[in-house]
Amino acid sequence: MDWSINTLPLPEYVELGVHSLSGLLWTLLFLFLWHCYRIGSDLPVPGHAGKLKSGSRRSLISRSGVCMGAKCRSKLSRSDQIAPFISMETAKDEEQGQGYLTPVLSHASFPAQASAEAKKLYAALQEYAKRYSWVGMGRIHKGLREQDRLNDLSTIQKPHLFFLPDVPSVPFFPRDAHRHDIEVLEANYPVILAEFQAVYQRGIDSKSGWTCLGPKSQAVFPLYSAGVCVAENCRSCPSTYRTLLSLRTFINSNSLGSAGFWLLGPGAVLGSSYGPTNTRLRCHLGLQTPPSCELVVGGEPQCWSEGHCLLLDDSFLHTISHRGSPESGPRVIFNVDLWHPNVAAAERQALDFMFIPDV
């Protein structure tokens, strides 16, 4: 039997008037609203971190396209893992603190036995989250909750103020960790040395901007002290100050960061100590390095070299010694505190807010 297009009961074109077009638009609007409702139902259930509604689970399984038996394992792309499906972490993952974004969904109270300093920092973190976001605050939140466990850390690394968990670290870092900043400092070594010699010849006393630390011939000429710019000293060393500002990772907005000239006289030995945090690295540019000067960090000895940088994590147990003769003169370095390369930009901003310098 032959079929012809003319035998189909199609309406005439002129019959598709305004009413039919209006009905089509209303149908599309209804479908759009239904789609928005289903997307909204995929959000996590409030108060149940790591658990999704059943509709959300179905949508995630359909996105992954893989389901094996009764246990379906979603294979999400990197963009799917960021938001809003970060809540795929299980309750077990949250208890172990494995998810960086766990605090976004966590309603657990802050440990009552936490120290006053930890509670103060946690209050600052909460204030930061109100102003900005909890996103990316997982490690900081975890570190504050476990602050009372700092004494349980190994004796080789034990920062006394704040420990950021899950940060890979070694006593000495390679140059590639902060290649740009190291190259800038080493390129400006002659200028930095000349400005140090100028302030050194004026004499070491408080009126000249120096700070003497104890009876061990240790003195500091700070350009930044605990995140605060020492304006008079910076005016005495304008080129060094401009060099600091050109560094990409210099910590100059919170109390964890400092920069300046450090002197250590012959015969001085600074005993074992820990730095305040593992979120920073100290960069030592050697200016005057007599023989028999040594720095031991985490059991690894190193010596300074004039015109070259050492990059170290001072949250490890470290000692400094100058066993040279009195004629050898002081050991002089230019110290700059840089961000640890594994601390993300959002975490740096939060730490700036939490450790705001006292002006």
Side-chain angles (χ1 to χ4, degrees):
M1 181 176 181
D2 296 332
W3 291 89
S4 173
I5 190 65
N6 295 326
T7 62
L8 298 177
L10 294 177
E12 296 291 336
Y13 177 77
V14 295
E15 294 181 1
L16 296 176
V18 176
H19 296 290
S20 299
L21 182 60
S22 176
L24 178 62
L25 293 177
W26 278 106
T27 302
L28 292 176
L29 178 60
F30 172 78
L31 292 175
F32 174 74
L33 294 176
W34 179 82
H35 173 73
C36 293
Y37 168 77
R38 291 308 303 266
I39 292 296
S41 66
D42 285 348
L43 294 177
V45 181
H48 294 77
K51 298 181 180 180
L52 297 179
K53 292 182 180 180
S54 58
S56 176
R57 295 184 183 274
R58 287 193 297 270
S59 65
L60 287 173
I61 293 172
S62 63
R63 292 187 185 194
S64 65
V66 177
C67 185
M68 299 178 61
K71 297 182 179 179
C72 298
R73 182 179 182 89
S74 299
K75 296 184 177 181
L76 302 177
S77 65
R78 182 173 179 82
S79 60
D80 288 330
Q81 293 175 350
I82 297 177
F85 300 105
I86 55 176
S87 55
M88 281 297 290
E89 300 168 3
T90 64
K92 182 178 179 181
D93 291 338
E94 182 183 349
E95 292 174 359
Q96 296 177 351
Q98 296 176 355
Y100 288 174
L101 302 183
T102 299
V104 180
L105 304 175
S106 176
H107 296 273
S109 60
F110 196 71
Q113 71 276 16
S115 64
E117 183 64 27
K119 292 179 180 178
K120 179 181 177 181
L121 292 176
Y122 184 67
L125 178 62
Q126 287 181 311
E127 180 63 26
Y128 172 85
K130 290 179 183 178
R131 297 189 185 187
Y132 303 99
S133 172
W134 275 110
V135 175
M137 299 298 104
R139 292 194 299 185
I140 296 179
H141 185 271
K142 177 184 176 183
L144 291 176
R145 292 180 58 84
E146 299 178 353
Q147 198 71 6
D148 58 317
R149 304 180 189 175
L150 284 180
N151 293 330
D152 298 335
L153 296 177
S154 64
T155 56
I156 195 173
Q157 185 185 27
K158 190 184 296 183
H160 58 78
L161 184 58
F162 175 69
F163 179 78
L164 185 66
D166 306 320
V167 173
S169 191
V170 290
F172 291 96
F173 276 70
R175 296 170 56 91
D176 290 342
H178 285 305
R179 176 171 293 276
H180 172 269
D181 289 353
I182 287 178
E183 290 179 348
V184 168
L185 288 169
E186 293 180 349
N188 287 275
Y189 161 71
V191 177
I192 295 174
L193 176 62
E195 292 190 337
F196 158 73
Q197 292 173 339
V199 298
Y200 181 68
Q201 291 172 359
R202 296 192 323 219
I204 300 178
D205 57 65
S206 58
K207 295 181 180 180
S208 301
W210 289 87
T211 302
C212 296
L213 305 175
K216 297 183 178 181
S217 303
Q218 184 184 11
V220 177
F221 187 84
L223 301 185
Y224 276 81
S225 178
V228 178
C229 176
V230 184
E232 189 64 29
N233 290 358
C234 289
R235 280 192 286 267
S236 300
C237 305
S239 297
T240 304
Y241 174 67
R242 286 193 292 269
T243 300
L244 277 177
L245 297 184
S246 68
L247 302 180
R248 295 175 179 174
T249 58
F250 172 44
I251 304 176
N252 61 353
S253 300
N254 67 57
S255 59
L256 301 176
S258 298
F261 301 112
W262 287 7
L263 273 68
L264 188 66
V269 177
L270 303 182
S272 301
S273 61
Y274 300 96
T277 180
N278 66 328
T279 61
R280 75 179 187 188
L281 299 181
R282 303 213 111 157
C283 182
H284 290 180
L285 173 64
L287 299 182
Q288 295 180 10
T289 58
S292 303
C293 293
E294 187 179 55
L295 168 66
V296 181
V297 181
E300 298 183 18
Q302 287 283 356
C303 295
W304 295 276
S305 179
E306 295 179 359
H308 298 279
C309 290
L310 273 180
L311 201 58
L312 59 110
D313 184 346
D314 72 331
S315 66
F316 285 85
L317 186 67
H318 60 278
T319 59
I320 301 174
S321 61
H322 181 357
R323 305 183 186 276
S325 63
E327 295 77 17
S328 62
R331 179 234 57 181
V332 184
I333 62 170
F334 181 60
N335 173 77
V336 184
D337 289 334
L338 308 176
W339 284 109
H340 190 291
N342 194 255
V343 179
E347 294 172 320
R348 297 178 186 182
Q349 183 177 348
L351 291 171
D352 284 344
F353 187 89
M354 295 164 57
F355 293 95
I356 187 169
D358 296 328
V359 181

